[in-house]
Amino acid sequence: VETQLQEIYQSLKSTLGFIDLMPCDFVLLTGAPLAAFSDGASAVPGLTIVDSKAQAIRWNDNATLDGIMSSFGMPSDADITANGTVTIYASKVGATVGDAVTFAVGLYNQVVGALHDADTNFGGTSGAMTGNATSKTVQAVTRAITAADWAASPAGVTVTIKPTDGTLGTDDLCLERVRIWYKTKLRAS
């Protein structure tokens, strides 16, 4: 019984929570809705169903691309004393070695009682996708969130994402979703 109680206690201490942001949760950085993807020489991403199977936000190959944004409310069960992670799930249409895409991730808190623009960006650049992975392979790249940057619920967080300039020269990029991981608070009775 003691061993089982220790296992239960450990599980309660190390539980992870997450927030999923799906393609339809995003708009352009201008605030305009995402239009249907249009293949061609454009920096503007669009919504699409890739190969009739995967909903995604798709960017054409371009040196400089437009970004997208969304937001979420900080969960009340988030332990803001623990680090978190942003995971971006994306695939490329193509397998060009030089297109080892990274993402510029912007994260901004909106704290009750503070100015809505008071926070500085606590995002940064994600890890790189494998440029020559087989075309259409879904990859996960991450960006760490330092515990000191979290704000407690009921704060809101604005998220901006764009492929880093110069990392998508040949292939198209499809973003399937974004997951924000956080540690949950230890449950109390």
Side-chain angles (χ1 to χ4, degrees), residues 25-63:
D25 293 327
F26 286 91
V27 297
L28 294 173
L29 283 179
T30 62
L34 288 162
F37 173 74
S38 177
D39 199 12
S42 173
V44 181
L47 282 173
T48 190
I49 181 143
V50 185
D51 298 319
S52 302
K53 295 182 180 179
Q55 184 185 46
I57 297 170
R58 185 169 176 166
W59 281 270
N60 288 293
D61 56 316
N62 204 316

Side-chain angles (χ1 to χ4, degrees), residues 4 17 21-22 24 37 49 70 74 97 100 108 121 129 132-133 140 154 156-157 163 176-178:
Q4 291 170 333
L21 298 174
M22 304 307 285
C24 288
F37 173 74
I49 181 143
S70 188
M74 277 301 291
V97 168
Y108 306 88
N121 182 4
M129 295 178 73
N132 61 347
V157 180
E176 279 89 18
R177 70 186 154 111
V178 176

